[in-house]
């Protein structure tokens, strides 16, 4: 009796959050799905005929879409490679016995707290500008021709900016994982004459594998939706060289007023994210049992 | 001999670590320095590092020319508003999940998390049209609701992992000693829940402050926070490096300080308890 009562109470305590999220997720998603079947232009909102899968065929056969899909993948993988690789090295470095390790830690994690628009504009103008940027001036100083980052290598520029923002996240999580490794194991391996490299390969890396998985999955979710960094630096250009799916959907809706095609793009993005999400949910769910 | 080698190693590692830390931090340091330069010094060739005439005119100018304070207040309203709203919803939910778990608790938690993985563009079009129809576009209230909803799953999760660590046995002991329900809550549970709630608040404020999809897409001026104000520098006129730097420093400084103090809790919140 008492438990029944308390379960009822528990359910009513959870209800507001569950209902709020259910509405937030289901209603707009259903509407996106509905819009994606309409010929709906913002410039002529009176006539919205049903067009079936036409928006999808338009969106999926648009060469810009293929470019955007490729860019999205390159962006995600590029940032992951830099942040995981750099994060492991940085975590190993910060795990050493060094003077002022706490201050170095503060310096290393700082970029994570910089809002995307600030990070992107500071890098675009003050670091990567070919004439006035610090990188350009440094290259000129040693006699190299400066690169016009945003024009010549727009996607690489965005990868570098985003990697700078996410490197601290990877480092912090990998370091947390590294510090939970008991030193007994390492010492035992050292006694057996194992070198630093084989200790890293056979003991440290396997220990960090779970944390690495979590970093990859969580970052991928966020990286699929990169938007502000593109908006304030390259506007997706030149051409569509730095347009990702998120930016393409935004462009379809805002610049071309094509609600139907934009909605179809939104659904495609949801499907892509879901593929990753399934793995993430599984990884975290497993941890919940442990 | 061995001690000397390890000392040399420590010095070597220290130099390397400080150098790498300096490189990573450099863009922020450079922004800080540039914010105290005149626009002309900011683009001088070669760049001036420390020995220039320091000026605070940029900080005065961004307020005078762009009404910086307006955007700052919007950022504060949005961060605090969405956090308070989030706490009202998330505390009871997390509490119920931690103290009266059922077979389905885990599924509900994972489902909540899955809503966080819904990409913004999947719901962007209807929300945008809905906001136009309801007159919520460029309103603080509309954005507070959106920010509250996108961060609610993280808040529930984080509070849940903290609440779960509160030992339930202690309540039984208190009951045996004749504590009333009110005493149970105010004197035993609340003090143990406060640190978890505080960390959750910090993380949520950081996330809301830096959110840059909805804040850019659903505001124009009235409700525009700092993310949108800074974005207006993407099509600049004339020299603007020093002004941009001053605006950027003010926009990131509060969160940088909050973030530095809450780095441990951050790992926990952002990995949904998967890495501790």
């Amino acid at each position: 009796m008492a438990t029944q009562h308390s379960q009822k109470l528990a359910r009513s305590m959870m209800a507001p959050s569950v209902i709020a999220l259910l509405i937030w997720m289901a209603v707009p998603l259903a509407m996106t799905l509905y819009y994606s079947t309409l010929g709906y232009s913002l410039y002529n909102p009176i006539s919205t005929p049903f067009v079936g899968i036409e928006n999808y065929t338009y969106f999926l056969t648009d060469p810009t879409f293929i470019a955007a899909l490729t860019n999205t993948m390159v962006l995600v993988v590029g940032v992951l490679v830099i942040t995981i690789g750099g994060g492991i090295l940085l975590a190993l470095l910060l795990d050493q016995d060094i003077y002022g390790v706490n201050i170095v830690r503060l310096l290393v994690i700082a970029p994570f707290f910089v809002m995307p628009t600030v990070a992107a504009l500071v890098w675009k103008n003050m670091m990567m500008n070919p004439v006035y940027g610090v990188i350009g001036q440094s290259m000129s100083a040693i006699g190299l021709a400066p690169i016009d980052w945003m024009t010549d290598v727009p996607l690489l520029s965005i990868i570098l900016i985003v990697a700078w923002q996410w490197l601290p996240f990877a480092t912090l999580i990998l370091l947390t994982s590294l510090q939970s490794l008991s030193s007994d194991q390492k010492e035992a391996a050292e006694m057996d004459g194992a070198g630093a490299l084989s200790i890293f390969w056979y003991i440290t890396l396997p220990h960090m594998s779970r944390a690495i998985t979590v970093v990859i999955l969580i970052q991928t979710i966020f990286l699929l939706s990169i938007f502000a960094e593109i908006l304030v630096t390259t506007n997706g250009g030149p051409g569509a060289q730095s347009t990702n799916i998120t930016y393409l959907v935004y462009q379809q809706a805002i610049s071309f007023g094509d609600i139907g095609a934009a909605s179809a793009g939104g659904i495609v993005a949801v499907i892509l994210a879901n593929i990753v999400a399934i793995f993430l949910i599984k990884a975290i769910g497993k941890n919940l049992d442990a | 001999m061995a001690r000397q080698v390890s000392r040399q190693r420590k010095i070597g590692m220290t130099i390397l670590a400080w150098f790498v830390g300096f490189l990573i931090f450099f863009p922020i340091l450079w922004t800080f320095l540039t914010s105290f330069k005149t626009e002309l010094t900011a683009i001088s060739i070669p760049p001036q590092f420390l020995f220039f005439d320091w000026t605070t005119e940029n900080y005065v100018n961004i307020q005078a020319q762009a009404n910086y304070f307006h955007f700052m207040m919007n950022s504060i309203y949005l961060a605090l508003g969405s956090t308070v709203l989030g706490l009202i919803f998330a505390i009871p939910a997390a509490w119920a999940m931690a103290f009266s778990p059922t077979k389905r608790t885990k599924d509900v938690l994972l489902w909540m998390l899955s809503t966080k993985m819904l990409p913004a563009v999947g719901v962007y079009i209807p929300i945008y049209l809905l906001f136009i129809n309801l007159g919520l576009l460029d309103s603080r209230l509309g954005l507070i609701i959106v920010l509250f909803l996108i961060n609610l799953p993280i808040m529930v999760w984080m509070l849940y992992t903290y609440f779960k660590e509160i030992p339930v046995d202690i309540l039984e002991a208190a009951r045996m000693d004749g504590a009333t329900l009110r005493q149970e809550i105010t004197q035993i549970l609340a003090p143990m829940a406060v640190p978890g709630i505080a960390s959750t608040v910090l993380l949520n404020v950081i996330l809301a402050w830096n959110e840059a999809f909805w804040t850019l897409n659903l505001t124009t001026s009235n409700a525009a926070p700092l993310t949108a104000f800074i974005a207006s520098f993407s099509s600049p006129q004339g020299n603007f490096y020093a002004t941009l730097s001053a605006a950027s420093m003010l926009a990131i400084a509060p969160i940088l300080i909050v973030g530095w103090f809450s780095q441990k809790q951050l790992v926990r919140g952002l990995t949904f308890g998967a890495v501790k």
Side-chain angles (χ1 to χ4, degrees):
Chain A
M1 186 61 194
T3 49
Q4 235 171 40
H5 175 75
S6 73
Q7 275 192 6
K8 211 170 169 186
L9 181 69
R11 224 173 291 149
S12 64
M13 283 164 80
M14 272 156 58
S17 293
V18 172
I19 293 169
L21 285 174
L22 197 62
I23 295 174
W24 164 248
M25 188 167 92
V27 175
L29 199 57
M31 285 168 80
T32 306
L33 206 55
Y34 170 63
Y35 288 146
S36 73
T37 62
L38 302 180
Y40 185 170
S41 164
L42 270 187
Y43 306 121
N44 183 15
I46 313 290
S47 147
T48 57
F50 178 79
V51 295
I53 60 161
E54 204 174 285
N55 285 317
Y56 289 91
T57 46
Y58 164 73
F59 198 87
L60 294 173
T61 54
D62 183 6
T64 317
F65 169 76
I66 306 299
L69 188 64
T70 319
N71 290 340
T72 306
M73 300 295 172
V74 172
L75 179 58
V76 171
V77 174
V79 174
L80 281 178
V81 167
I82 298 174
T83 53
I84 302 278
I88 291 175
L89 292 178
L90 268 171
L92 288 172
L93 183 59
L94 292 180
D95 194 39
Q96 304 290 320
D97 183 22
I98 48 179
Y99 296 104
V101 70
N102 286 328
I103 299 170
V104 179
R105 245 176 99 120
L106 290 184
L107 296 179
V108 168
I109 64 167
F112 189 67
F113 305 112
V114 175
M115 56 175 65
T117 44
V118 167
L121 284 174
V122 163
W123 273 91
K124 178 192 178 184
N125 295 302
M126 285 145 60
M127 297 293 124
M128 291 173 163
N129 182 294
V131 183
Y132 304 117
V134 175
I135 299 176
Q137 295 211 12
S138 311
M139 288 177 80
S140 307
I142 54 171
L144 293 170
I147 304 169
D148 189 353
W149 291 87
M150 294 298 158
T151 315
D152 296 342
V153 281
L155 192 58
L156 177 65
S157 307
I158 288 167
I159 290 174
L160 291 177
I161 295 170
V162 176
W164 179 72
Q165 290 178 276
W166 283 95
L167 182 61
F169 173 79
T171 305
L172 205 53
I173 290 184
L174 296 175
L175 183 61
T176 307
S177 157
L178 193 58
Q179 286 174 342
S180 70
L181 176 66
S182 75
S183 51
D184 301 358
Q185 238 184 334
K186 271 186 356 194
E187 276 161 19
E190 261 165 33
M191 300 258 264
D192 290 345
L197 214 60
S198 54
I199 289 181
F200 170 76
W201 191 254
Y202 292 108
I203 296 175
T204 314
L205 206 55
H207 174 81
M208 285 202 285
S209 66
R210 236 180 72 89
I212 293 173
T213 314
V214 171
V215 171
I216 291 176
L217 294 170
I218 290 176
Q219 282 200 43
T220 305
I221 298 286
F222 283 94
L223 297 176
L224 282 172
S225 303
I226 291 294
F227 172 75
E229 290 85 343
I230 297 174
L231 178 78
V232 301
T233 55
T234 62
N235 267 309
Q241 283 183 49
S242 57
T243 299
N244 68 352
I245 301 273
T246 303
Y247 196 78
L248 182 62
V249 172
Y250 159 83
Q251 245 180 355
Q252 291 283 353
I254 300 303
S255 312
F256 310 136
D258 192 340
I259 296 298
S263 300
I267 296 296
V268 173
V270 169
I271 293 169
L272 278 181
N274 267 339
I275 296 170
V276 181
I278 290 168
F279 289 105
L280 180 54
I281 297 278
K282 269 197 187 143
I284 291 172
K286 216 178 262 171
N287 187 55
L288 215 56
D289 295 328
Chain B
M1 180 65 189
R3 186 179 291 169
Q4 204 167 17
V5 170
S6 79
R7 194 180 153 77
Q8 272 173 1
R9 184 186 149 92
K10 184 170 178 176
I11 291 171
M13 283 296 172
T14 301
I15 292 170
L16 181 63
W18 277 86
F19 176 71
V20 174
F22 174 79
L23 274 188
I24 292 174
F25 190 71
F26 182 78
I28 299 173
L29 176 67
W30 191 246
T31 309
F32 174 78
L33 292 172
T34 308
S35 74
F36 292 102
K37 295 174 183 173
T38 61
E39 293 294 359
L40 274 180
T41 322
I43 55 165
S44 68
I45 298 173
Q48 311 275 317
F49 196 65
L50 286 172
F51 304 105
F52 54 86
D53 289 326
W54 290 57
T55 168
T56 53
E57 64 177 29
N58 302 306
Y59 289 93
V60 178
N61 283 347
I62 51 169
Q63 174 52 27
Q65 287 167 11
N67 195 9
Y68 186 86
F69 196 63
H70 165 74
F71 301 101
M72 185 93 171
M73 284 315 289
N74 279 340
S75 275
I76 294 173
Y77 276 123
L78 296 181
L80 294 185
S82 65
T83 304
V84 169
L85 202 55
L87 285 179
I88 294 171
F89 277 71
I91 290 178
W95 193 271
M97 289 176 182
F99 295 118
S100 324
T102 63
K103 272 177 284 176
R104 279 184 306 165
T105 301
K106 189 188 147 188
D107 295 332
V108 175
L109 266 171
L110 290 176
W111 171 76
M112 283 190 167
L113 191 59
S114 73
T115 67
K116 180 71 203 161
M117 290 157 201
L118 184 67
V121 286
V123 295
Y124 164 55
I125 308 286
I127 297 291
Y128 184 74
L129 296 176
L130 200 69
F131 267 48
I132 293 177
N133 291 330
L134 295 176
L136 282 173
L137 207 60
D138 205 19
S139 77
R140 284 180 198 150
L141 177 66
L143 257 188
I144 284 177
I145 294 172
V146 169
L147 293 180
F148 146 66
L149 285 166
I150 60 168
N151 289 330
L152 181 59
I154 293 186
M155 290 188 91
V156 173
W157 258 90
M158 205 167 160
L159 287 171
Y160 168 77
T161 61
Y162 277 107
F163 288 167
K164 230 177 54 171
E165 282 172 10
I166 297 177
V168 190
D169 306 349
I170 207 168
L171 284 182
E172 313 245 325
R175 263 177 224 152
M176 300 263 272
D177 291 343
T180 63
L181 181 66
R182 198 194 151 97
Q183 283 173 324
E184 251 176 50
I185 293 175
T186 58
Q187 291 178 17
I188 301 167
L189 291 178
M192 286 199 287
V194 163
I197 295 176
S199 314
T200 309
V201 166
L202 287 179
L203 179 67
N204 202 64
V205 166
I206 293 172
L207 291 177
W209 188 275
N210 288 342
E211 202 287 327
F213 180 83
W214 296 105
T215 53
L216 293 178
N217 275 304
L218 298 178
T219 65
T220 47
S221 61
N222 254 336
L226 290 168
T227 45
F229 171 64
I230 301 289
S232 68
F233 284 93
S234 60
S235 48
Q237 285 147 357
N239 298 332
F240 67 104
Y241 283 16
T243 319
L244 169 66
S245 297
S248 298
M249 277 326 289
L250 286 177
I252 64 172
I255 287 309
L256 199 54
I257 292 164
V258 172
W260 273 341
F261 280 110
S262 58
Q263 36 168 318
K264 285 245 165 63
Q265 290 84 343
L266 219 72
V267 173
R268 201 168 155 156
L270 284 170
T271 58
F272 309 104
V275 175
K276 276 184 200 166

